[in-house]
Amino acid sequence: GEEPVTPAGLTGTMDHQGVPNAGGVSSPQQQQQGGAFSQTVLKESAHPVACIFHVLFKGLALGLYIYGVFFAKNRSSNFITFTVFCVLFLAADFWVTKNVTGRLLVGLRWWNQVEGDNTRWIFESKGNEATVNPFDRRIFWTVLYMTPLTWACLGLIELFRLELGWLIAVCMALSLNGANVYGYYKCSSDQKAKFQQMMAEGAQRGAMAAFSSNLFGMLVGNQAAAAAGGADAASTTSSITQPTTTPAQQTYV
């Protein structure tokens, strides 16, 4: 019935078993709560840490830029600070995406090799991209494509607002993210096939829509012409067959 005594020199709370939890040492409950995110959201991933870092630096750069442009009170005085940190986050994201997450999540890698005065670009991929984890592949390509699109929208907003100084971070983001998009697109035969299929489907849908509209226009035009011809024939027949009458005369006595 006595309460457990915490030894001298240890500070902290008591866990559910009455064992003192010293400062800096996490209890089993805290460890379970800390791993709940990876067990729920990233449970389908084969490389959850790589997924987190694939999104982390992109999100930090975008969040810092959006805060500096739209919510910071002293935007002009802190412009250099926001720009420098954005560029640092973008550089870190470029290195992580190019050298780590692409290799782990989708099995792709690209780099350039300098040979004298020439630069040779090398693109590598796994033999069969179908063996890649579907969740990791979806996270990788979705984030890779959406990030430059988001930066492009932010750049258009700054152009309309005529605040060209903030476009420094936007241009850096578009160049670094665009390099990764181009490099991994060249690596992936699966993405090339999907892109070609998408273009073929788009062309086929456009041709079908044009053919349907032309066919519909021809049918409507033929029906209208037939209706107009029937109306003209009816009016001609009525004018031929209608008898000529004279008004009756009345005689008053």
Side-chain angles (χ1 to χ4, degrees):
E2 297 181 355
E3 297 181 356
V5 180
T6 304
L10 293 178
T11 59
T13 59
M14 307 293 290
D15 62 9
H16 65 286
Q17 295 179 350
V19 180
N21 181 19
V25 180
S26 60
S27 65
Q29 288 182 342
Q30 292 174 342
Q31 293 177 357
Q32 292 177 359
Q33 292 176 357
F37 178 80
S38 60
Q39 293 176 0
T40 55
V41 179
L42 301 177
K43 63 180 180 180
E44 299 180 3
S45 173
H47 303 281
V49 178
C51 286
I52 292 173
F53 276 93
H54 185 62
V55 180
L56 178 63
F57 291 112
K58 295 178 177 66
L60 288 175
L62 280 170
L64 183 63
Y65 181 85
I66 292 173
Y67 175 77
V69 171
F70 299 104
F71 301 104
K73 295 182 180 179
N74 299 322
R75 294 188 305 165
S76 301
S77 58
N78 296 327
F79 163 73
I80 297 178
T81 303
F82 283 116
T83 302
V84 168
F85 276 97
C86 277
V87 171
L88 290 176
F89 287 140
L90 290 169
D93 171 69
F94 175 79
W95 187 89
V96 170
T97 303
K98 177 179 177 294
N99 298 303
V100 180
T101 59
R103 178 173 53 85
L104 294 177
L105 297 181
V106 291
L108 303 176
R109 186 174 58 176
W110 68 274
W111 74 94
N112 59 333
Q113 184 175 356
V114 179
E115 299 176 350
D117 296 335
N118 299 324
T119 301
R120 186 164 64 96
W121 294 87
I122 302 173
F123 307 95
E124 293 183 348
S125 63
K126 284 186 175 181
N128 185 10
E129 296 183 27
T131 59
V132 177
N133 183 278
F135 181 86
D136 292 345
R137 182 172 60 245
R138 184 166 60 251
I139 287 291
F140 179 83
W141 289 112
T142 301
V143 175
L144 187 70
Y145 287 147
M146 290 302 297
T147 302
L149 292 178
T150 305
W151 280 107
C153 293
L154 293 174
L156 290 176
I157 292 174
E158 293 308 305
L159 281 177
F160 290 139
R161 296 173 61 180
L162 298 178
E163 295 186 1
L164 304 182
W166 291 95
L167 291 178
I168 297 175
V170 174
C171 293
M172 182 65 67
L174 290 176
S175 60
L176 293 178
N177 285 280
N180 270 328
V181 169
Y182 176 78
Y184 282 115
Y185 173 77
K186 293 286 288 185
C187 291
S188 176
S189 59
D190 180 62
Q191 289 297 311
K192 292 179 182 178
K194 288 183 178 179
F195 181 77
Q196 293 175 358
Q197 182 181 2
M198 182 181 66
M199 295 297 294
E201 290 179 354
Q204 184 178 3
R205 290 177 182 176
M208 290 297 296
F211 177 77
S212 300
S213 62
N214 292 334
L215 182 62
F216 180 76
M218 291 175 60
L219 292 176
V220 171
N222 292 335
Q223 291 179 357
D232 294 340
S235 60
T236 304
T237 304
S238 61
S239 62
I240 295 176
T241 58
Q242 184 177 3
T244 302
T245 59
T246 56
Q249 295 182 355
Q250 295 182 355
T251 303
Y252 294 92
V253 179

